[in-house]
Amino acid sequence: MNAQTEPDLDHGDRERIYAYLKDHGPTDYGNVQEATFPQDPGGFRHHVAILKRNGLVEEALGGGLQVVPELEGEEEEFTRDGVEFHVRPARQADLSGILGVLRQVAEKRTYIVAETVAQELDHEGELLRQDDVESRVFFVATVNDEVVGWTHLQSPEIEKLSHTAELTTGVLEEYRGHGLGGHLLERGLEWAGSQGYERVYQSIPSTNEGAIEFLEDHGWEVEAVREGHYKIDGEYVDEVMMAASL
């Protein structure tokens, strides 16, 4: 296992801005500039634009700037059947890689929730979320530093549902069968349990027999079936609602 490292900022001036925001939290633009670039407002704006583009700094909800939150945790390394892969908390910089995997997994239209998650990420451009609306986190599996799988947990900030979270997970087809999905699922469930969630669920079209079998093999149970809930390529398909208790 390797500890999660600081992002590579490639420039001392950007590192100064990032470090200041990390130490001080959400801060007014003027205060950040005064503390880091008092004599060069143009340079400050330039470096902030690059930090935003690289997914390291964002607009704070109350105005000003803040560091994009990252999920803390260790990176784990595994090797199976000659495939070496890593599982770790996702970072904002993983956004495009996660979107690519989500879209490839969802293109066969057998994972409707994954399609929805991809649409939300594409629209919001924000990987991790923690506010008064919902919580959202991701873990990723990587091969040669490329994202090839994900686990995503999302929970609305509603008291009556605060003990539950929705989970999605998927791996690119060419990397299936090597244990990536199982390790991703385990990592997501470990995190959910550590955060006090009691039940995790997800919904899958009945035509996705592989996903249903995968979850059952990992201790999930079919909780309910909604007949004809989906309409895929003109055919009505049942929704299989699955859950795991933590």
Side-chain angles (χ1 to χ4, degrees):
M1 295 185 183
N2 301 310
Q4 183 174 328
T5 59
E6 291 291 316
D8 183 4
L9 301 175
D10 297 325
H11 198 288
D13 291 336
R14 290 193 280 279
E15 185 175 357
R16 185 167 12 138
I17 297 171
Y18 183 88
Y20 181 87
L21 288 170
K22 189 170 183 179
D23 289 340
H24 292 81
T27 308
D28 178 76
Y29 266 87
N31 292 338
V32 182
Q33 182 200 323
E34 184 63 29
T36 57
F37 279 81
Q39 307 300 326
D40 188 6
F44 172 74
R45 289 192 296 270
H46 168 73
H47 290 305
V48 167
I50 293 175
L51 287 167
K52 285 183 175 180
R53 183 194 67 192
N54 292 342
L56 298 170
V57 167
E58 65 183 3
E59 301 284 336
L61 288 176
L65 293 170
Q66 67 179 13
V67 168
V68 172
E70 293 191 354
L71 188 61
E72 295 182 356
E74 294 181 321
E75 181 171 321
E76 300 175 283
E77 181 179 337
F78 305 95
T79 301
R80 180 171 168 183
D81 302 328
V83 176
E84 182 179 302
F85 60 95
H86 295 77
V87 175
R88 60 168 173 80
R91 302 185 279 267
Q92 180 66 23
D94 296 317
L95 176 62
S96 60
I98 291 173
L99 272 172
V101 177
L102 277 164
R103 287 167 176 156
Q104 287 190 55
V105 171
E107 68 182 359
K108 294 185 178 180
R109 306 193 69 188
T110 57
Y111 205 167
I112 309 303
V113 177
E115 291 184 45
T116 302
V117 174
Q119 291 172 357
E120 289 179 357
L121 286 182
D122 195 31
H123 173 71
E124 297 177 8
E126 183 181 16
L127 191 62
L128 308 180
R129 185 170 180 178
Q130 178 70 58
D131 53 35
D132 58 359
V133 177
E134 68 179 3
S135 298
R136 179 172 66 212
V137 300
F138 282 84
F139 294 89
V140 292
T142 64
V143 174
N144 296 324
D145 295 324
E146 296 292 328
V147 176
V148 300
W150 88 92
T151 282
H152 147 266
L153 293 109
Q154 186 164 322
S155 177
E157 290 299 315
I158 300 173
E159 184 177 356
K160 293 181 177 64
L161 294 175
S162 61
H163 64 295
T164 70
E166 181 180 28
L167 181 148
T168 69
T169 190
V171 175
L172 291 179
E173 189 169 358
E174 58 265 39
Y175 290 104
R176 295 173 190 170
H178 299 287
L180 283 76
H183 284 294
L184 279 167
L185 185 63
E186 181 180 358
R187 188 67 178 268
L189 293 177
E190 286 179 353
W191 180 87
S194 73
Q195 299 301 304
Y197 292 106
E198 300 171 16
R199 197 159 182 80
V200 176
Y201 66 93
Q202 66 172 289
S203 297
I204 304 169
S206 59
T207 50
N208 194 343
E209 297 175 354
I212 295 171
E213 182 180 356
F214 168 78
L215 291 174
E216 288 180 331
D217 287 344
H218 286 83
W220 289 56
E221 297 180 348
V222 175
E223 196 168 64
V225 175
R226 291 202 288 186
E227 295 184 3
H229 182 66
Y230 299 118
K231 192 173 184 179
I232 303 174
D233 297 328
E235 299 290 333
Y236 291 100
V237 176
D238 295 346
E239 176 190 42
V240 180
M241 304 172 71
M242 304 192 70
S245 297
L246 303 178

